[in-house]
Each structure stands twice: as structure tokens, then as C-alpha cells.
Amino acid sequence: MSHHEHFLLAGVMGWPVMHSRSPKLHNYWFEHYELAGAYVPLAVKPDGLEKALRALPALGFAGCNLTIPHKEQALRIVDHADARARRIGAISCVTVNADGSLTGTNNDWYGFVENLREAFPGWWADAGPAVVIGAGGASRAVVDALIHEGTKEIRLINRTRERATSLAHALDGPVTVLDWDKRHSALEGAALLVNTTSQGMVGNPALDLALDALPRTAEVCDIVYIPGETPLLKAARERGNRTVNGLGMLLHQARPAWRSWFDKDVEVTRELRALIEATI
Ligand code: ATR
């Protein structure tokens, strides 16, 4: 049983929120480590976000995660945010401090890197150029992670070029913005390809990308995890590239949250991965 005096509480705020796998993921850890606690879905409308966040200390929550559409707005509400979260322009996690103030962090970049490390043992960021497709919120965390890990050349391509340009500007790293129609040839000599767009996700068409120029030694990551193998990953795997979907990013971004909420290191076990995979 738990050695804690009180019931450990955390949750995820989103709108909608019931599709989120996070409650299943975090509640696994309460059970696995025999801790008395719960992680709940919190259906919070955008105009109620500030009140909901400010209620966390009074309710005894250690903190919460944020999902669509709250990540950017929450950054403006919290009392403190680390440099990383400010650079990315979004927070994925809030921690309640002892004095009731709120600290915001972004753990998505961490999940992205740990997912690559787990899937591709020996992966290192400056193995060669990285091509990142998409320039939305997820892309900001991915590009920031690659810059921070030491990738020397990042080719950023988005359907709407201006979004890629402003992302490159905000993150200030070795990022080259290329036109959407250059996406096929941009794969030449790449060591890593990452899809951060919603293309390939269930209900959406496949990402329109010809892989012919991509070296077969390149690693391919799709941050989408429903379906488990997007058309992009299937095409890459069939031509011999090593591939990974985005499920590990979801699993690993949850670990630093436990460190800051409950001062505990938690593990992504095979059992946990299978539990979440079974819901996909
Ligand atoms: P997220 O926060 O999940 O990254 P987002 O901010 O809405 O979501 O970004 C979605 C990304 O998918 C964007 O890069 C978007 O491109 P645009 O900036 O041009 O909208 C990309 N995307 C969405 N639909 C697309 C399509 N049909 N073809 C190519 N890219 C698409």
C-alpha cells in the first residue's frame, strides 16, 4: 500500500478529452507501484481553462497535463514557465507548487527524443540531416528537441511555408525552410525523417511524399500512432528503413511529469506499452 499520507491526484485537461489514452497510461503506474491515487480526464472548455487550472491547488491536485486545444493558452496562465516551454510556445504539463503557484513545462520534446532512443538504439542527433514535415505545435517540440540534441542540419517543410519560417525564426537553430514542392528531393542524404503533420492519421489521407531519394539507412518517425503503422511508415519499412510511430512519444513524455508531481521515476514497461496498444 501507499506510504503517502494523501491520495495522489493528477489529470489531463482537454476539449474534447475522452479519447485521451493518458488516464489509462498514468493509472497503470498507480497500480504498478501500489500507490493510492488517480489520474482523471478533465473536460475543460477553452473559456474555463484559467479557472480550472487555478482550482488545482484547492482540489489537492499535484498537477495536470494539457492537450488540444489548451497547450498555448495555458502557457499564458501559469505563474512560471521554463525557457524550453517558452521557446516551444506551449506547455504540456502543469505542476502545483507548495505555495499554490503553477509551473508549466513542455515534455513533448523529451517524449520525442526518448522514443527515438528506445526504437533506434545508438541513435544520435548529429548522424546527418533531419527532414521535418509540418510546422504545427508538435513540430515546434520536435524541431526544438533536434536543435537541443545537436542536429546540425534540419530541413523544415510545411504546406504553408510562412508557418515554417516563423517556427525557424522562433527556435533559432540550424533550420533551413524549404518549399512544399521540394519535399521529395529534400530527403536526399537525410539521416532522419519525421512526419509531424496529421496526414496518415486515421480518417486522413496519407502524407503525399515519395521516398525514392531517402537513403535506406535513414530512420523514419511518424508522430501519429493511430493507426500503429501509417502509410508513410509502411512504405519506409518495405524499402528497408527503420521506423517508429508516435506511441513511444506519448508514453515517454509522461515520465518527467511523475518526477515533478510525485517525485518518482516511472518506467515504460512492455506491459504498459501492450496495455495502451490494445486500445488503438
Ligand atoms: P499539431 O499541433 O498537432 O502539430 P497543427 O498545429 O494543426 O497540429 O498542425 C498540423 C500540421 O499538419 C501543420 O503543419 C499543417 O500544415 P499547414 O500549416 O499548412 O496547415 C499540416 N497539415 C494538415 N493538413 C495537411 C495536408 N492536407 N497536407 C499537408 N500538411 C497538412
Side-chain angles (χ1 to χ4, degrees), residues 185-242:
S185 56
L187 302 178
E188 204 168 314
L192 177 70
L193 165 64
V194 187
N195 173 44
T196 72
T197 75
S198 45
Q199 297 299 91
M201 194 184 289
V202 64
N204 288 347
L207 180 69
D208 175 13
L209 183 65
L211 298 180
D212 307 74
L214 185 72
R216 283 171 215 281
T217 50
E219 282 142 354
V220 181
C221 173
D222 201 324
I223 69 159
V224 170
Y225 59 90
I226 305 174
E229 188 176 59
T230 58
L232 169 69
L233 291 186
K234 180 169 189 286
R237 176 177 57 78
E238 286 176 350
R239 66 194 291 283
N241 294 95
R242 292 197 295 168

Side-chain angles (χ1 to χ4, degrees), residues 15 20 52 93 111 114 117 139 174 202 218 227 255 276:
W15 187 262
S20 171
C93 179
E114 288 296 297
R117 291 218 167 97
S139 175
V202 64
R255 290 170 41 225
I276 303 300

